[in-house]
Amino acid sequence: KRTQVCSVSNSCFNLCFQLNLKGEQMNMAKISESGKKQRKNWTAMWAVLTADQLLFSKDKPEHGLKAGGRTDVVELSGALMEWTTEKSSRKNVFQITTSKGSQYLIQDDCQSTASRWFHAIKKAASSSTEDRSEFPLRRSNSTDLSPRHNMFGSAKLKHSTSDSSDKNRVKNRLKKFITRRPSMKTLQEKGFIKDRVFGCNLSTLCEREGTTVPKFVQTCIRAVEKRGLQADGIYRVSGNLATIQKLRFIVDQEEELDLDHSQWEDIHVITGALKMFFRELPEPLFPSRFFQRFVEAIKIQEPQQKVQAVKKLIEQMPKPNQDTMKVLFSHLHRVLAFSRRNLMSTQGVSIVFGPTLMWHEQDAANMAVNMAFQNQIVEFILIESHQIFDLKGK
């Protein structure tokens, strides 16, 4: 046994000698202490590799590390080594994970230096792990470590058994919850789940509200016509997305909405929310099944026949779609009446609302062609809105 121990010690000595016991300066960051994350802080440290440890010191070691100096000790027995590009934007970074869960990042700008240290440390860690398994009493002052080893072994076994029972307990509770869970209708009746406004089917929403035009649409249009008709780029300019989402949340929670409040003073937030409402309809305002028929109608050359064809298609739609469309296009027609102030043309409005109000669900391959038709259809309805919707000079 003494011969074996000496042989191992000699091999470890040779390893340290090959790497230069005085060490080299490397960049080191400790990112985890026994599994607990720490803030990454790169520090230039002098590194020294021994038989089973990697030592880091602030001071250059002339004759070994100074006693009492700041030293970080990385235990290599059972440690794992790997190159990493995810933990740092620096190049040539490798990570050491100790058996106790501590993690260190080591880096050097020179690729060959980093690679040399990586392989040397990996070899030392591997040798140290093998040595400890062969000679468990080699570096201990204690006469017998086997009870302690068994204690940890049994603790791991108990921990594993405990984890298994906890998982089974959680699974059983989930099964009971799923089998006993109340229906959606019950949750809605008790107020746990509220009906949404955004993303709700148009007919369902109108039926729930007892209208044929969603209240949110009417509220937004009133606010825009009250203080936004002359706003530069109305409907084209985007509002703050975070504020729009906040407005959406309030609407979906059925909280009281006052668009005259100062938090909604940016009119582009209101127009942005209105456009979002139409974009998130499960089925567009112009139902998808009508898309191809509108394309055929818009291709008609004779103007009056084209108007009648489009009008006839709109009249075939569900009542909420017809009435909401009429209210919206009447509003957009009033927006265009202030085009000299808001700088929005018929073509500009149609470009904004074409993809918002209609889309073809099953023909994504011809997206560019469909978009051109979307814009043409909306532009035509805007121009002929008086005839199509019988606005009578409104």
Side-chain angles (χ1 to χ4, degrees):
K1 288 185 178 179
R2 179 174 295 178
T3 303
Q4 289 176 324
V5 171
C6 290
S7 175
V8 172
S9 298
N10 288 335
S11 65
C12 292
F13 175 80
N14 291 335
L15 173 66
C16 296
F17 182 79
Q18 291 171 7
L19 199 64
N20 182 2
L21 187 61
K22 292 183 180 180
E24 294 181 73
Q25 196 170 41
M26 306 282 286
N27 295 313
M28 186 271 283
K30 190 174 185 179
I31 60 174
S32 176
E33 174 69 43
S34 300
K36 186 177 181 181
K37 289 185 177 181
Q38 293 190 339
R39 178 177 294 179
K40 181 171 62 180
N41 185 23
W42 287 103
T43 308
M45 304 280 278
W46 288 94
V48 173
L49 181 63
T50 70
D52 56 0
Q53 293 178 332
L54 179 62
L55 310 176
F56 289 101
S57 173
K58 275 283 190 181
D59 302 318
K60 183 177 181 180
E62 299 294 340
H63 303 287
L65 296 176
K66 295 181 180 179
R70 181 191 165 186
T71 304
D72 285 297
V73 181
V74 182
E75 297 290 345
L76 297 180
S77 179
L80 300 175
M81 303 277 298
E82 62 178 345
W83 293 99
T84 178
T85 56
E86 298 177 355
K87 301 292 180 68
S88 173
S89 58
R90 296 190 178 197
K91 61 181 181 179
N92 309 323
V93 179
F94 60 88
Q95 177 178 306
I96 304 174
T97 304
T98 68
S99 59
K100 293 183 179 180
S102 296
Q103 293 181 321
Y104 300 81
L105 297 180
I106 315 297
Q107 185 268 343
D108 192 90
D109 290 336
C110 178
Q111 196 275 334
S112 61
T113 301
S115 180
R116 179 161 53 89
W117 276 85
F118 175 85
H119 291 295
I121 296 169
K122 187 175 183 179
K123 186 174 180 181
S126 177
S127 300
S128 178
T129 304
E130 291 174 2
D131 294 344
R132 182 163 290 186
S133 63
E134 291 178 12
F135 307 105
L137 307 181
R138 181 164 59 87
R139 287 191 306 275
S140 175
N141 295 326
S142 173
T143 56
D144 186 11
L145 286 181
S146 56
R148 192 174 108 182
H149 177 76
N150 291 338
M151 177 183 72
F152 284 126
S154 61
K156 288 181 180 178
L157 182 61
K158 289 179 181 178
H159 181 67
S160 178
T161 306
S162 174
D163 282 351
S164 180
S165 61
D166 287 343
K167 288 178 180 178
N168 289 333
R169 194 179 300 114
V170 170
K171 285 181 180 178
N172 291 332
R173 287 183 178 178
L174 284 172
K175 286 179 181 177
K176 288 181 180 179
F177 172 77
I178 291 171
T179 54
R180 296 176 182 176
R181 63 180 178 178
S183 65
M184 179 68 74
K185 185 177 180 181
T186 302
L187 291 173
Q188 289 175 338
E189 289 174 351
K190 291 185 177 181
F192 291 112
I193 295 180
K194 294 184 178 181
D195 294 315
R196 296 179 302 166
V197 173
F198 283 77
C200 182
N201 180 275
L202 186 63
S203 296
T204 303
L205 178 60
C206 289
E207 183 180 356
R208 190 172 78 221
E209 294 180 346
T211 64
T212 56
V213 179
K215 293 179 180 178
F216 178 69
V217 173
Q218 298 181 52
T219 303
C220 288
I221 287 175
R222 281 197 298 269
V224 173
E225 294 190 353
K226 181 178 179 180
R227 55 188 175 91
L229 290 176
Q230 300 185 48
D232 187 2
I234 190 71
Y235 285 112
R236 176 175 51 80
V237 176
S238 300
N240 181 274
L241 183 58
T243 311
I244 292 172
Q245 293 288 8
K246 182 179 180 181
L247 176 56
R248 169 188 176 164
F249 177 80
I250 290 174
V251 173
D252 277 340
Q253 293 298 311
E254 296 182 356
E255 297 179 17
E256 186 176 348
L257 180 63
D258 179 14
L259 292 181
D260 288 330
H261 192 278
S262 59
Q263 65 178 325
W264 317 122
E265 64 180 353
D266 182 3
I267 198 65
H268 300 299
V269 167
I270 298 173
T271 57
L274 182 59
K275 289 185 293 183
M276 180 182 286
F277 170 83
F278 284 114
R279 281 197 303 268
E280 296 197 1
L281 287 173
E283 185 176 56
L285 185 62
F286 288 74
S288 298
R289 64 183 182 275
F290 285 87
F291 185 88
Q292 196 57 44
R293 283 185 270 178
F294 271 106
V295 171
E296 296 303 322
I298 206 69
K299 292 179 179 178
I300 297 174
Q301 296 297 319
E302 206 284 317
Q304 197 57 38
Q305 288 182 13
K306 186 187 294 188
V307 170
Q308 293 304 316
V310 170
K311 183 176 181 178
K312 185 177 180 180
L313 286 173
I314 293 174
E315 289 174 347
Q316 294 173 18
M317 294 181 184
K319 186 66 172 171
N321 295 68
Q322 291 185 48
D323 290 356
T324 302
M325 203 176 293
K326 181 176 181 178
V327 169
L328 177 63
F329 277 91
S330 299
H331 164 65
L332 294 178
H333 202 268
R334 286 191 285 275
V335 168
L336 291 172
F338 290 85
S339 59
R340 289 187 178 181
R341 296 289 186 88
N342 57 40
L343 304 179
M344 289 300 292
S345 64
T346 305
Q347 186 179 24
V349 172
S350 65
I351 290 173
V352 171
F353 278 94
T356 301
L357 302 180
M358 63 190 312
W359 55 84
H360 197 300
E361 291 182 342
Q362 300 177 345
D363 193 15
N366 295 319
M367 186 179 294
V369 176
N370 291 339
M371 186 173 292
F373 282 124
Q374 290 165 347
N375 299 346
Q376 289 177 32
I377 293 166
V378 171
E379 184 176 3
F380 179 76
I381 296 175
L382 277 170
I383 294 171
E384 304 295 343
S385 56
H386 283 85
Q387 288 193 65
I388 294 172
F389 298 110
D390 297 323
L391 298 183
K392 298 179 181 179
K394 290 183 181 179

